[in-house]
């Protein structure tokens, strides 16, 4: 039975990955900060799907939390899903530097370190995959969140090119707006976001698993967002930045 480790596993896209992979027969290692909620989710998945579920409480914005998860990855997993993340409700100059550096540690350092902990074992066994959850925001100028997600996309593509092979895969997942707790937790105003742009987390995960099987380095779920990204490449970044800064704050 293959094993998947998922960070940010108790809600949103992370929880959707846990459900999909449990249904596919994976044993799960679930990582999140809230230990009580983590154990509750683990118990529900084990009861529903009959798979082994290991809760691993850790704050990945801390060295202690990262070290704990790195150790588990070195023991061996078949799939790593780097999903943990958060957003800021304010503009760059309004956000405390401590919050910005925490975001960088979680979105960038954690993704780098956990990927680096997982890949050597995968290469030794000649099988495995890493999915790094980025965002469509990575392709647009929209504050430090988009900047950190742009790093995730570039890192994933660069790593995929180095470990390229039919049995080892690295992919960046770039969803658009998804119905999760993400925006509420960040106190973001989503009233200006059109209803047709919202995606379901389960659909995002299904698209990601399909694209991973196809060997894609970057997955943009849903034709709506594929179109938005394609058009966005033709528009000056300054214009996109001015408009994007007003959405989702």
């Amino acid at each position: 039975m293959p094993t998947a480790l998922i960070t940010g596993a108790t809600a949103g896209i992370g929880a959707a990955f846990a459900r999909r992979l449990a249904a596919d027969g994976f044993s799960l290692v679930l990582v999140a900060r809230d230990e009580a909620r983590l154990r509750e989710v683990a118990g529900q998945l084990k009861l529903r799907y009959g798979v082994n579920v290991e809760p691993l409480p850790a704050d990945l914005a801390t060295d202690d939390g990262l070290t704990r998860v790195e150790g588990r990855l070195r023991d061996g997993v078949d799939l790593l899903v780097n999903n943990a993340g958060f957003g800021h409700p304010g503009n760059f100059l309004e956000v405390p530097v401590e919050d910005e550096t925490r975001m960088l540690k979680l979105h960038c350092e954690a993704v780098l370190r956990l990927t680096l902990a997982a890949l050597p074992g995968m290469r030794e066994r000649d099988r495995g995959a890493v999915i790094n959850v980025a965002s469509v925001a990575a392709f647009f100028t929209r504050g430090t969140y988009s900047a950190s997600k742009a790093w995730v996309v570039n890192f994933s593509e660069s790593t995929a090119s180095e470990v390229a092979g039919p049995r080892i895969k690295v992919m960046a997942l770039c969803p658009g707006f998804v119905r999760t707790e993400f925006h509420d937790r960040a106190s973001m105003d989503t009233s200006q976001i059109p209803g047709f742009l919202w995606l379901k987390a389960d659909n995002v995960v299904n698209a990601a698993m399909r694209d991973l099987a196809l060997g894609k380095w970057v997955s943009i779920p849903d034709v709506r967002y594929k179109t938005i990204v394609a058009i966005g490449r033709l528009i000056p970044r300054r214009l996109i930045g001015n408009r994007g800064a007003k959405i989702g704050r």
Side-chain angles (χ1 to χ4, degrees):
M1 185 177 292
T3 300
L5 187 148
I6 307 165
T7 70
T10 56
I13 294 174
F17 265 112
R19 292 191 297 270
R20 165 62 192 265
L21 295 172
D24 287 348
F26 278 75
S27 293
L28 301 178
V29 182
L30 305 183
V31 179
R33 289 185 302 163
D34 187 334
E35 183 171 358
R37 187 178 185 185
L38 182 61
R39 295 191 181 281
E40 179 183 1
V41 170
Q44 292 171 348
L45 290 168
K46 186 174 183 179
L47 181 64
R48 179 175 180 181
Y49 297 101
V51 298
N52 183 59
V53 184
E54 176 187 342
L56 179 55
D59 182 353
L60 297 179
T62 69
D63 285 329
D64 180 67
L66 279 171
T67 299
R68 189 178 308 126
V69 180
E70 284 174 318
R72 179 60 184 84
L73 288 167
R74 292 190 182 103
D75 289 339
V77 301
D78 299 282
L79 173 62
L80 165 63
V81 180
N82 279 313
N83 168 72
F86 67 96
H88 296 312
N91 294 317
F92 173 51
L93 296 180
E94 300 170 350
V95 178
V97 67
E98 294 81 9
D99 292 344
E100 293 288 10
T101 54
R102 178 179 175 84
M103 175 181 283
L104 285 175
K105 193 171 186 72
L106 184 59
H107 289 185
C108 300
E109 182 180 341
V111 168
L112 183 150
R113 288 176 56 173
L114 299 188
T115 300
L116 187 58
L119 278 176
M122 292 179 181
R123 297 188 74 177
E124 184 177 337
R125 297 186 300 276
D126 191 31
R127 70 176 190 275
V130 178
I131 298 176
N132 295 321
V133 179
S135 170
V136 162
F139 304 103
F140 301 95
T141 50
R142 232 186 125 250
T144 51
Y145 177 82
S146 69
S148 68
K149 292 303 186 179
W151 183 91
V152 173
V153 173
N154 193 307
F155 168 75
S156 300
E157 292 182 290
S158 299
T159 305
S161 70
E162 291 190 23
V163 302
R167 294 172 58 84
I168 301 176
K169 301 173 182 178
V170 180
M171 184 183 79
L173 171 60
C174 301
F177 295 110
V178 184
R179 294 288 186 189
T180 68
E181 301 175 5
F182 178 87
H183 297 92
D184 290 338
R185 285 183 174 182
S187 300
M188 291 182 178
D189 176 15
T190 60
S191 60
Q192 297 185 60
I193 300 171
F196 72 89
L197 286 179
W198 289 100
L199 305 177
K200 295 181 179 179
D202 290 328
N203 293 343
V204 168
V205 169
N206 290 337
M209 296 304 295
R210 181 190 64 237
D211 287 346
L212 183 69
L214 292 172
K216 292 186 178 182
W217 289 2
V218 178
S219 171
I220 303 175
D222 197 274
V223 67
R224 288 167 287 184
Y225 282 101
K226 288 181 172 68
T227 303
I228 288 170
V229 170
I231 294 174
R233 296 183 190 279
L234 304 176
I235 301 173
R237 293 176 70 86
R238 179 179 295 183
L239 294 180
I240 295 174
N242 290 341
R243 177 57 182 163
K246 300 175 183 178
I247 298 177
R249 293 293 185 187

